[in-house]
Amino acid sequence: MAQVFVRSILRKHRSALLSLSIRSNLARASQTPRNGDPLLPILGRSLHFSTGLPRTPWLFRPTANFCGIPSLDHDLKSASLMDPPPEKPKSKKGQKKSAVDFTKVDPALLPTVILVGRPNVGKSALFNRLIRRREALVYNTPGDHVTRDIREGIAKLGDLRFRVLDSAGLETAATSGSILSRTAEMTGNVLARSQFAIFLIDVREGLQPLDHEVGQWLRKHASGMRTIVAMNKSESLDDQGLLTSEAGEAHALGFGDPIAISAETGFGMAELYETLCPLFEDYMLRLPNDNHVPDDTSSKTVESDESKVPLQLAIVGRPNVGKSTLLNALLQEERVLVGPEAGLTRDSIRAQFQFEERTIYLVDTAGWLHRAGQEKGPASLSVLQSRKNLMRAHVVALVLDGEEIAKAKTSMKHAEVVIARQAIEEGRGLVVIVNKMDLLRGRQNSSLHEKVKKAVPQEIQTVVPQVTGIPVVFVSALEGKGRIAVMREVVDTYRKWCLRLPTARLNRWLRKVMSRHSWKDQATQPKIKYFTQVKARPPTFIAFLSGKAQLSDTDMRFLMKSLKEDFDLGGIPIRIMQRSVPRKVVDSKSSKNLSVRLNARARSDKRTTTSEPVSS
């Protein structure tokens, strides 16, 4: 009965399997192979009965017997399901590769894109999306302008690389001399070094009259520039199907078909890539081929020479002391917005320039307010960003107001004391810059001028007693005087900050220092086995002591003072750590050496100066 049951099942499925096999073979035969024989796929799979059979289902395997029933005939062995044809991989948007390798192009030759639009349309959010970092402040303030300066960065969109500029919101109806008019003037100056523009509009609010005014401003100041309209904040309208009507309104601006994007969620970045890729390729192909790839030999020399390592300099201080004016004086251009208004700078602006064949990154920070918890909105975010830039910097330039110092009893306010102490605690180099010295000229102010020059170094030494020799530079950023002196002090401080001393030189110095130091108790004097430097930036040393005795605070201050005086390390923080070597280990080593010497003397037959070598 079991055999009859199995044979009935096999008869039912035999016809279905054979028809399925024939259909699959005919489907594959319709595709002509390379040799041109359409019947080869069918014959090639049907003639191999004995060996090399394709894998069959478990029911038709030759070794699969059920209840002792012999396997099927040879024709059933060959009746197998054909493998389905391989599916073609689906092409995804954004996987298209550009014809130019932008990663190997010199950053100075990359195409430049500027982000323009009215205030509060998401320009800074798109800037952060493109550079893949949160550098620009983003805050929803419809009645205020968060971004006031031009911020620059290298954008990464797929395999595209380009320079992107974040500009302030444009308002054509701004009164002359106001902050808005100055920011619009600065944006107009930056358009000269840009090749492309992304005109952002807020699709949620629809097309506003100010958007039409910004479009007219672009046609007037950048008539030959390729402009792309981007409808930002489109992530919610995509599901509702309202993008078509909004795109029709945006098309009325006259800059071509708009692109729906969302800087917050990343929606529409693939469409933006497809739009920018042919434009950038055409721009790069117009450039000379010799300028595409940077010189490898020059980059190797820069990496090998320590003097060419980029220096991170943060300019910090209280509001309205001249930090932005000092940055413009160092760069010798109107890079950031300046004015008499306090708290004008909100974003921490990063700029790059060359000084004596060294790359220096300048960071202009917002005014430091100690009690930032009382501030609301962008002001509190600016202070937090300034503190982050202070911790990332190599050298901190603390800017003071010389006019306020001359009128006040103290040289430094509470916020400035906090900045100086935090810079030292973080292990950064510190340079103090006294600005606005041009206001203390003349016979009437000669006494005040001398008072400021004497009071500032003394008070700094009182505020930060653990670091001696902090350089103080007196400048006038408005007139550009003292620029070279500031940069030389910064570079010298950075050189000391990166200094490494060999261990042999340190131990020779240690013997001289220990001999001239007067110890209180010679019996309890801790013995320093050796002294070594474990790291730089800032210089950090370790004193290995024998036994459990530790150096007192007086001894530590003596060693730090001697290090700074003998190796010219003033103006930077120095760290000395102590590690004790157990006395048992020292005693065991000395006793072992003593036993070796006794054994060597016992083995010698004559009283000579030499002895047989003994393995220790």
Side-chain angles (χ1 to χ4, degrees):
M1 293 296 293
Q3 295 180 358
V4 175
F5 174 71
V6 172
R7 290 184 183 275
S8 63
I9 294 177
L10 294 179
R11 289 193 191 96
K12 292 180 180 179
H13 291 279
R14 179 184 299 178
S15 58
L17 291 174
L18 288 177
S19 61
L20 182 60
S21 177
I22 292 173
R23 288 178 182 177
S24 61
N25 287 334
L26 291 176
R28 183 168 295 185
S30 61
Q31 301 177 357
T32 304
R34 294 181 180 178
N35 55 6
D37 189 2
L39 298 178
L40 183 62
I42 301 177
L43 297 177
R45 297 297 295 257
S46 61
L47 293 177
H48 294 284
F49 294 109
S50 58
T51 59
L53 289 175
R55 298 188 65 180
T56 59
W58 66 271
L59 190 57
F60 296 99
R61 291 184 183 176
T63 57
N65 299 330
F66 184 73
C67 298
I69 304 175
S71 61
L72 299 177
D73 298 334
H74 293 290
D75 56 346
L76 290 179
K77 292 180 182 179
S78 62
S80 61
L81 289 172
M82 298 296 295
D83 297 332
E87 297 181 358
K88 296 182 180 180
K90 298 180 180 179
S91 60
K92 296 181 180 180
K93 296 182 179 180
Q95 290 184 351
K96 177 183 176 182
K97 293 184 179 180
S98 61
V100 180
D101 190 0
F102 289 90
T103 59
K104 297 182 180 179
V105 179
D106 188 1
L109 301 176
L110 290 174
T112 304
V113 179
I114 184 171
L115 308 178
V116 295
R118 60 182 176 88
N120 200 30
V121 293
K123 298 183 296 296
S124 297
L126 181 59
F127 178 84
N128 292 339
R129 168 71 60 179
L130 292 175
I131 66 172
R132 301 182 182 180
R133 293 190 307 273
R134 290 191 176 184
E135 285 193 0
L137 291 181
V138 178
Y139 198 84
N140 187 13
T141 53
D144 196 0
H145 301 266
V146 178
T147 303
R148 293 175 177 174
D149 297 298
I150 302 296
R151 180 183 288 276
E152 183 176 352
I154 301 297
K156 299 178 182 180
L157 185 61
D159 56 353
L160 296 181
R161 300 292 183 272
F162 56 95
R163 299 169 64 186
V164 59
L165 304 178
D166 182 21
S167 64
L170 294 175
E171 284 192 9
T172 56
T175 58
S176 177
S178 62
I179 296 178
L180 296 178
S181 64
R182 281 180 283 170
T183 55
E185 182 180 358
M186 184 177 295
T187 304
N189 297 333
V190 174
L191 286 176
R193 55 189 181 98
S194 303
Q195 292 81 34
F196 306 94
I198 297 180
F199 181 13
L200 275 82
I201 61 175
D202 190 348
V203 73
R204 294 178 184 174
E205 299 180 359
L207 204 61
Q208 301 293 325
L210 187 55
D211 293 325
H212 291 280
E213 296 178 3
V214 174
Q216 295 176 1
W217 184 88
L218 279 175
R219 291 189 186 92
K220 179 181 178 181
H221 293 82
S223 57
M225 182 181 298
R226 180 68 169 87
T227 303
I228 301 168
V229 178
M231 301 185 301
N232 195 21
K233 307 178 183 179
S234 301
E235 68 278 4
S236 60
L237 299 182
D238 183 32
D239 299 334
Q240 301 175 7
L242 300 178
L243 287 179
T244 305
S245 60
E246 297 295 339
E249 294 183 3
H251 196 275
L253 293 173
F255 294 103
D257 295 333
I259 303 174
I261 66 171
S262 174
E264 187 68 23
T265 63
F267 169 75
M269 292 297 109
E271 286 75 9
L272 183 61
Y273 173 90
E274 293 176 357
T275 304
L276 294 177
C277 184
L279 299 177
F280 291 169
E281 289 177 356
D282 183 61
Y283 171 79
M284 295 303 300
L285 292 177
R286 293 180 183 177
L287 296 178
N289 295 330
D290 298 338
N291 297 333
H292 286 191
V293 182
D295 190 7
D296 294 338
T297 57
S298 61
S299 61
K300 290 181 180 179
T301 55
V302 169
E303 292 177 359
S304 60
D305 192 357
E306 185 179 356
S307 63
K308 306 287 194 314
V309 177
L311 189 156
Q312 306 281 346
L313 175 61
I315 303 176
V316 297
R318 293 186 299 106
N320 204 23
V321 294
K323 300 182 297 299
S324 299
T325 308
L326 178 62
L327 178 72
N328 290 338
L330 295 176
L331 297 176
Q332 294 184 332
E333 64 172 325
E334 295 297 326
R335 179 66 176 80
V336 293
L337 189 66
V338 296
E341 299 88 357
L344 191 60
T345 302
R346 285 183 174 174
D347 270 320
S348 295
I349 305 302
R350 180 186 177 94
Q352 176 184 353
F353 81 109
Q354 298 288 329
F355 178 77
E356 296 180 354
E357 299 181 356
R358 178 193 294 272
T359 302
I360 297 178
Y361 292 100
L362 288 174
V363 180
D364 179 24
T365 61
W368 191 289
L369 300 174
H370 178 59
R371 294 175 178 85
Q374 300 177 359
E375 298 292 333
K376 302 294 182 181
S380 59
L381 298 178
S382 300
V383 175
L384 294 177
Q385 195 178 54
S386 300
R387 294 179 179 177
K388 290 181 181 179
N389 287 305
L390 184 144
M391 293 184 289
R392 296 174 184 172
H394 300 155
V395 180
V396 176
L398 176 59
V399 183
L400 307 180
D401 191 343
E403 185 182 12
E404 290 186 1
I405 294 174
K407 297 179 181 179
K409 296 181 180 180
T410 58
S411 302
M412 301 176 66
K413 303 293 184 180
H414 180 72
E416 296 164 343
V417 173
V418 171
I419 295 173
R421 290 178 177 174
Q422 186 170 353
I424 298 302
E425 290 175 0
E426 294 291 338
R428 309 299 181 225
L430 181 62
V431 177
V432 178
I433 301 174
V434 183
N435 193 19
K436 302 183 182 181
M437 294 301 293
D438 55 322
L439 301 178
L440 301 179
R441 293 177 183 171
R443 297 180 180 179
Q444 300 178 353
N445 299 326
S446 59
S447 60
L448 296 177
H449 191 278
E450 295 298 329
K451 171 189 173 183
V452 171
K453 283 194 171 183
K454 291 181 180 179
V456 173
Q458 294 177 359
E459 188 164 352
I460 290 176
Q461 190 59 49
T462 305
V463 171
V464 192
Q466 61 270 32
V467 178
T468 59
I470 296 176
V472 182
V473 187
F474 300 89
V475 302
S476 174
L478 186 62
E479 298 179 354
K481 294 184 178 180
R483 181 179 66 90
I484 303 299
V486 169
M487 292 311 305
R488 286 179 178 174
E489 290 292 345
V490 168
V491 172
D492 184 61
T493 303
Y494 180 72
R495 179 188 59 80
K496 297 176 183 179
W497 193 64
C498 299
L499 182 64
R500 281 189 174 273
L501 298 172
T503 304
R505 184 181 177 185
L506 284 173
N507 285 284
R508 289 194 299 268
W509 164 84
L510 181 64
R511 287 193 292 268
K512 296 180 181 179
V513 169
M514 298 295 287
S515 61
R516 68 172 183 249
H517 182 52
S518 58
W519 303 93
K520 294 183 179 180
D521 190 359
Q522 297 292 336
T524 60
Q525 171 187 347
K527 184 178 181 181
I528 303 178
K529 300 295 293 183
Y530 62 96
F531 198 77
T532 183
Q533 183 178 358
V534 292
K535 68 180 289 293
R537 304 160 65 104
T540 305
F541 305 89
I542 293 183
F544 289 88
L545 309 176
S546 60
K548 296 182 179 180
Q550 296 290 324
L551 294 173
S552 62
D553 295 340
T554 305
D555 300 335
M556 295 290 289
R557 286 194 296 268
F558 170 75
L559 289 178
M560 286 187 180
K561 183 179 179 180
S562 301
L563 272 172
K564 294 177 181 179
E565 291 177 355
D566 296 341
F567 296 106
D568 190 20
L569 297 178
I572 61 172
I574 294 179
R575 298 170 180 174
I576 299 179
M577 298 182 292
Q578 304 182 51
R579 288 187 181 178
S580 60
V581 180
R583 191 175 296 273
K584 294 181 180 179
V585 178
V586 179
D587 296 342
S588 62
K589 289 184 178 180
S590 60
S591 61
K592 186 176 182 180
N593 295 333
L594 179 61
S595 62
V596 169
R597 290 195 297 270
L598 292 176
N599 292 335
R601 184 179 300 177
R603 291 183 183 183
S604 60
D605 297 332
K606 298 181 181 180
R607 294 181 179 180
T608 57
T609 56
T610 60
S611 60
E612 297 179 2
V614 179
S615 61
S616 57

